[in-house]
Amino acid sequence: MINLFFVDRKALQRLHAGPLNPFIDKFADLLFKLGYAKSTGQMYIRLVSDLSRWLQQNQLKVKDLNEQLVFKFFKHRRRYFRIRRGDAATLQLLLKILRDAGKISNPSPKIDNSPIRQIEHRFTQYLLEERKLSQATLLNTLPFVRQFLTKRFGRKSISLNKLCSTDITNFVLQHAYTISPARAKLMVGALRCFLRFLYLHRDITTDLAQAVPTVANWRLSNLPKYIEPEQVKCLLKSCDQTTVLGQRNYTILLILARLGLRAGEVVKMRLDDLCWETGELIVHGKGNQQDRLPIPYDIGKSLAKYLRYIRPCCSSRQVFIRTKAPIRGFTNSSSISTIVRQTLKRAGINSTCKGAHLLRHSLATNMLRRGASFSEIGEILRHQLMNTTEIYAKVDLEALRKLAQIWPGGVT
């Protein structure tokens, strides 16, 4: 496969020098499968070849190769060449090939026996085993706990029995103004849970969970952000469906606008979730919830076009794939929100909310204006609780106008 990147015999001979010679072709094959351009592939193959010659010059073998040795190679290389963006990731790719082939050992896991890490470990076991919380909840809880302990004790020894209400209040007041109200609510919730854990396990003698301040984030205090149906049409029309990128983005935006999926749900969509015989889509939602939604005709047509003619060939089972190397599925929901933000800008649509949730809110608002009930909207959006859908009552202006009282001395 290396012949797809290099054809000159002398160049091929130079590239195959050194102990990494048997793996150069496998590395080139992987670059081709990941969709790298010829010029980029040539650059990365030369980098691996330079590493191979450096190993040879230092009388090192393939089995000696690891992350520490790669660091030494870059330190040496920096004297003569500029380290390019992507070089480190390239050699990580090489290390993966060697480990999969059993030529080098897996890296030794870094063991963090710090006092903070030990407390974190105990708290994690409590959340998983006693509270039965999900990994997603842990990701929203543990960083705040580590931040709190680091702020309070720093590099000093940790004495949990020295914690007091002032420590908690100062931490919350310092950080609540730097994050959103929703994030601040997560922060105080994490602190209450952690302090309650310490009290239950007798690490502290006073239930300091009662000392955690409450963050003002009243439910239904904000209006849902949305755009008008004409603007949604304009957004979709701004995608150039004659290009690979345009057709992919059009299909994603159409799914967001017509089915109201969350960004993370679009990322999780797999080829096995498309039931063409029944015309249904399996959606992997919050809390490991799975729902079946009908595939509208326009979405089915766009999906079929993307899958048959546009989607790059790769081993990933995710429906939507990156258009640039490495060719693989999206890793997180921020990629979907970026597509929405860029398309809004191109279509000239100004909105305070520019993420993927904008189209979900717009779908619900349009359904309400066309006479749909809250139960119908909740069913489409897959809300588990009806009161989650109540926020859309605030955009039903006709219904609200009937409730409005006459203003003293004037008209409504």
Side-chain angles (χ1 to χ4, degrees), residues 267-314:
V267 171
K268 293 177 185 176
M269 281 178 59
R270 299 178 65 83
L271 298 174
D272 308 298
D273 297 329
L274 299 171
C275 307
W276 295 105
E277 293 82 4
T278 59
E280 291 179 320
L281 167 66
I282 300 175
V283 179
H284 301 274
K286 287 184 175 180
N288 297 322
Q289 180 183 354
Q290 288 190 11
D291 297 287
R292 287 180 173 267
L293 293 179
I295 302 177
Y297 174 78
D298 52 351
I299 290 180
K301 182 178 178 182
S302 184
L303 266 173
K305 180 180 178 181
Y306 169 72
L307 295 174
R308 291 186 65 182
Y309 306 112
I310 304 296
R311 185 179 183 272
C313 294
C314 65

Side-chain angles (χ1 to χ4, degrees), residues 8 16 28 30 65 70 88 99 126 141 144 180 196 226 233 246 253 280 286 313 319 325 354 359 373 386 399:
D8 184 71
H16 283 87
L30 183 58
L65 199 55
V70 167
R99 286 187 175 120
Y126 164 75
T141 303
F144 288 121
S180 66
R196 195 170 294 117
Y226 63 92
K233 292 179 182 178
L253 292 170
E280 291 179 320
K286 287 184 175 180
C313 294
V319 172
K354 294 178 170 53
L359 295 176
S373 65
M386 180 58 68

Side-chain angles (χ1 to χ4, degrees), residues 147-163:
Q147 194 176 14
F148 171 67
L149 292 175
T150 303
K151 178 67 178 177
R152 172 60 181 84
F153 298 105
R155 296 183 179 181
K156 301 177 183 177
S157 60
I158 296 179
S159 301
L160 295 174
N161 57 355
K162 292 183 178 180
L163 289 174

Side-chain angles (χ1 to χ4, degrees), residues 224-268:
K225 306 299 188 297
Y226 63 92
I227 55 177
E228 300 294 338
E230 294 75 17
Q231 292 177 303
V232 174
K233 292 179 182 178
C234 180
L235 187 74
L236 294 171
K237 286 182 180 179
S238 68
C239 297
D240 185 1
Q241 293 180 253
T242 62
T243 66
V244 173
L245 184 66
Q247 177 60 37
R248 186 204 65 184
N249 291 353
Y250 173 82
T251 307
I252 290 174
L253 292 170
L254 190 63
I255 290 173
L256 293 172
R258 296 276 278 112
L259 295 180
L261 265 62
R262 303 176 180 92
E265 293 166 347
V266 175
V267 171
K268 293 177 185 176

Side-chain angles (χ1 to χ4, degrees), residues 200-401:
L200 290 173
H201 289 78
R202 300 183 180 179
D203 293 298
I204 56 178
T205 56
T206 306
D207 186 6
L208 292 175
Q210 307 298 325
V212 180
T214 302
V215 174
N217 185 27
W218 293 282
R219 184 174 168 270
L220 305 179
S221 60
N222 296 320
L223 282 169
K225 306 299 188 297
Y226 63 92
I227 55 177
E228 300 294 338
E230 294 75 17
Q231 292 177 303
V232 174
K233 292 179 182 178
C234 180
L235 187 74
L236 294 171
K237 286 182 180 179
S238 68
C239 297
D240 185 1
Q241 293 180 253
T242 62
T243 66
V244 173
L245 184 66
Q247 177 60 37
R248 186 204 65 184
N249 291 353
Y250 173 82
T251 307
I252 290 174
L253 292 170
L254 190 63
I255 290 173
L256 293 172
R258 296 276 278 112
L259 295 180
L261 265 62
R262 303 176 180 92
E265 293 166 347
V266 175
V267 171
K268 293 177 185 176
M269 281 178 59
R270 299 178 65 83
L271 298 174
D272 308 298
D273 297 329
L274 299 171
C275 307
W276 295 105
E277 293 82 4
T278 59
E280 291 179 320
L281 167 66
I282 300 175
V283 179
H284 301 274
K286 287 184 175 180
N288 297 322
Q289 180 183 354
Q290 288 190 11
D291 297 287
R292 287 180 173 267
L293 293 179
I295 302 177
Y297 174 78
D298 52 351
I299 290 180
K301 182 178 178 182
S302 184
L303 266 173
K305 180 180 178 181
Y306 169 72
L307 295 174
R308 291 186 65 182
Y309 306 112
I310 304 296
R311 185 179 183 272
C313 294
C314 65
S315 59
S316 174
R317 298 293 294 173
Q318 287 177 250
V319 172
F320 295 106
I321 304 296
R322 288 164 46 99
T323 56
K324 294 182 179 180
I327 302 299
R328 61 190 180 197
F330 294 121
T331 54
N332 53 58
S333 58
S334 62
S335 303
I336 305 299
S337 292
T338 298
I339 291 172
V340 176
R341 183 172 61 254
Q342 292 175 345
T343 311
L344 284 169
K345 183 178 180 180
R346 184 172 60 249
I349 299 173
N350 187 22
S351 172
T352 54
C353 174
K354 294 178 170 53
H357 233 65
L358 173 68
L359 295 176
R360 182 176 170 87
H361 286 320
S362 301
L363 172 66
T365 302
N366 188 37
M367 287 180 63
L368 184 65
R369 288 177 174 177
R370 297 177 69 175
S373 65
F374 287 115
S375 61
E376 290 171 334
I377 296 173
E379 186 176 354
I380 291 295
L381 299 185
R382 292 160 288 110
H383 288 158
Q384 295 185 14
L385 300 174
M386 180 58 68
N387 57 11
T388 309
T389 318
E390 290 177 0
I391 189 173
Y392 297 106
K394 299 167 70 174
V395 297
D396 189 359
L397 299 182
E398 292 302 321
L400 292 175
R401 189 172 285 112

